[in-house]
């Protein structure tokens, strides 16, 4: 069974549009500001996608683009300006940032109320303790996708490969909050296949094409492939194609899987818009998300 993130994202957008219209009746137009530093092509592409998705749903969006050589203080000033702007409800910093900039300092400069990517320690802490917060968009999108297909995670053996704070770690927190049993693997994990074979749900967020092969999984597993990798393909007009971290042959054994592209990626963007609407709704009530 294919877990179609593209189709589910369209459903999410219908709900987002409805909530945007309700907010507009109350005099609030949700606004998202995307801040990008430098001209990395992948970052340009991702910010472009997010801005277009906002436009399609009636969310006011703007992109602030700083030069590759911008200093950390310039970026912090740009964030502070958006923190104070009441028409901006969500702020996202497109990662990665140039190595001269301390990503953590930048993330902590975002007002937690506007941290719709869910990377600020305030939101990380609220999500980890299960009291609320903005969950990061990728893990939130993964769980929404599993829910949509009726794949219950309670009590399941969930193995997550990759432990970054953007993908692997927060995914572990969200699955744990749903009462799954979690194993998190990373570059230092000794026998990866030992763990992946135990998985009833396998989430792979590493950035290495073909890392997971058929021999490493069990029959009937649900595979969530977060990886986005460009590989050279001379038959493709663009000269490359996008693949995940899981070898295509794994599908023979899987009960369900997310395609790449078209699985987790569209859900991540959809959850960003949903979080922005939640931030705008919270701005009316003053309640901490
Ligand atoms: P990262 O480089 O920050 O983290 C990679 C993680 O994988 C680390 O925890 C590392 O220890 C682990 N790892 C590396 N090699 C390994 C190996 N051989 N065995 C086991 N673990 C290994 O990357 P990231 O930002 O988490 O992104 C991971 C992938 O997910 C990338 O392809 C990225 O493009 C993709 N991604 C996709 C989305 C989306 O919306 N679809 C969102 C975020 C990230």
């Amino acid at each position: 069974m294919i877990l179609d993130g593209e189709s589910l994202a369209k459903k999410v957008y219908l709900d987002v549009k409805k909530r945007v219209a309700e907010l507009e009746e109350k005099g609030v137009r949700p606004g998202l500001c995307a801040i990008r530093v430098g001209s990395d092509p992948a970052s340009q592409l991702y910010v472009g996608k997010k801005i277009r998705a906002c436009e399609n749903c009636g969310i006011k969006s703007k992109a602030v683009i700083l030069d590759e050589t911008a200093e950390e203080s310039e970026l912090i000033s740009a964030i502070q300006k958006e923190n104070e702007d009441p028409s901006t409800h969500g702020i996202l910093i497109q990662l990665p940032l140039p190595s001269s900039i301390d990503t953590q300092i930048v993330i902590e400069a975002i007002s937690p109320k506007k941290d719709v990517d869910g990377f600020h320690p305030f939101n990380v802490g609220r999500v980890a303790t299960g009291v609320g917060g903005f969950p990061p968009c990728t893990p939130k999108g993964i769980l929404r996708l599993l829910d949509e297909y009726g794949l219950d995670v309670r009590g399941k053996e969930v193995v997550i490969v990759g432990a970054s704070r953007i993908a692997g770690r927060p995914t572990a927190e969200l699955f744990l909050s749903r009462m799954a049993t979690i194993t998190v693997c990373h570059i230092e994990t000794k026998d990866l296949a030992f763990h992946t074979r135990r998985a009833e749900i396998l989430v792979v967020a590493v950035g290495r094409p073909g890392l997971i092969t058929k021999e490493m999984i069990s029959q009937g597993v649900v595979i969530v492939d977060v990886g986005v990798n460009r590989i050279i393909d001379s038959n493709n007009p663009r000269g490359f194609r996008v693949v995940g971290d899981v070898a295509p042959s794994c599908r023979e054994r899987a009960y369900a899987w997310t395609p790449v592209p078209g699985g987790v990626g569209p859900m991540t963007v959809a959850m960003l818009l949903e979080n922005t609407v939640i931030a705008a709704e919270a701005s009316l009530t003053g309640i901490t998300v």
Side-chain angles (χ1 to χ4, degrees):
M1 173 166 68
I2 297 173
L3 306 175
D4 184 350
E6 202 84 61
S7 300
L8 179 55
K10 284 185 187 144
K11 280 198 203 173
V12 173
Y13 291 141
L14 289 179
D15 179 61
V16 166
K17 277 183 196 166
K18 193 171 133 263
R19 288 163 75 174
V20 169
E22 284 165 4
L23 279 163
E24 281 187 324
E25 275 172 23
K26 293 174 186 157
V28 175
R29 174 142 188 238
L32 176 75
C33 174
I35 305 181
R36 172 163 72 74
V37 182
S39 53
D40 171 56
S43 291
Q44 286 182 25
L45 186 82
Y46 290 140
V47 169
K49 272 189 186 176
K50 290 165 186 173
I51 297 282
R52 272 195 303 282
C54 283
E55 281 164 5
N56 290 337
C57 289
I59 293 175
K60 194 177 123 224
S61 61
K62 64 175 162 190
V64 172
I65 298 154
L66 301 182
D67 196 74
E68 182 79 36
T69 56
E71 293 198 5
E72 198 173 282
S73 57
E74 276 178 73
L75 180 51
I76 305 275
S77 299
I79 293 169
Q80 279 163 351
K81 197 166 153 239
E82 298 306 321
N83 282 343
E84 281 154 27
D85 183 343
S87 71
T88 296
H89 301 95
I91 301 171
L92 83 87
I93 311 294
Q94 189 61 45
L95 301 178
L97 292 170
S99 54
S100 57
I101 295 177
D102 185 328
T103 303
Q104 194 57 27
I105 289 177
V106 169
I107 286 172
E108 290 185 23
I110 301 171
S111 161
K113 289 181 195 300
K114 300 191 178 188
D115 170 40
V116 285
D117 258 338
F119 296 153
H120 190 289
F122 181 83
N123 285 310
V124 174
R126 282 180 75 75
V127 169
T129 45
V131 295
F134 286 108
C137 303
T138 298
K140 186 181 179 187
I142 291 171
L143 276 162
R144 186 69 61 82
L145 196 51
L146 297 180
D147 289 344
E148 175 73 7
Y149 285 87
L151 298 166
D152 193 12
V153 304
R154 179 174 286 265
K156 289 282 176 341
E157 208 53 64
V158 177
V159 177
I160 297 161
V161 188
S164 75
R165 66 173 174 197
I166 290 174
R169 274 170 198 246
T171 300
E173 292 291 357
L174 290 200
F175 274 100
L176 184 57
S177 69
R178 295 281 203 94
M179 299 301 285
T181 302
I182 318 296
T183 304
V184 183
C185 303
H186 45 75
I187 188 76
E188 299 292 348
T189 298
K190 286 198 179 73
D191 184 354
L192 185 59
F194 166 78
H195 297 285
T196 55
R197 272 191 215 111
R198 290 192 299 104
E200 294 177 282
I201 299 174
L202 178 64
V203 181
V204 191
V206 172
R208 269 194 174 210
L211 176 72
I212 305 298
T213 59
K214 203 166 64 173
E215 298 68 35
M216 296 169 73
I217 58 169
S218 293
Q219 191 70 35
V221 64
V222 172
I223 298 176
V224 178
D225 191 350
V226 183
V228 178
N229 308 292
R230 283 183 177 195
I231 56 166
I232 295 167
D233 181 357
S234 52
N235 293 323
N236 191 300
R238 292 186 297 177
F240 68 88
R241 72 195 153 91
V242 174
V243 300
D245 291 342
V246 178
S249 58
C250 290
R251 292 171 185 178
E252 294 164 22
R253 286 196 174 175
Y255 172 68
W257 72 89
T258 59
V260 179
V264 177
M267 288 307 296
T268 298
V269 181
M271 293 301 105
L272 174 72
L273 269 58
E274 188 177 274
N275 277 356
T276 303
V277 168
I278 292 169
E281 289 167 349
S283 75
L284 277 177
T285 60
I287 292 170
T288 303
V289 173

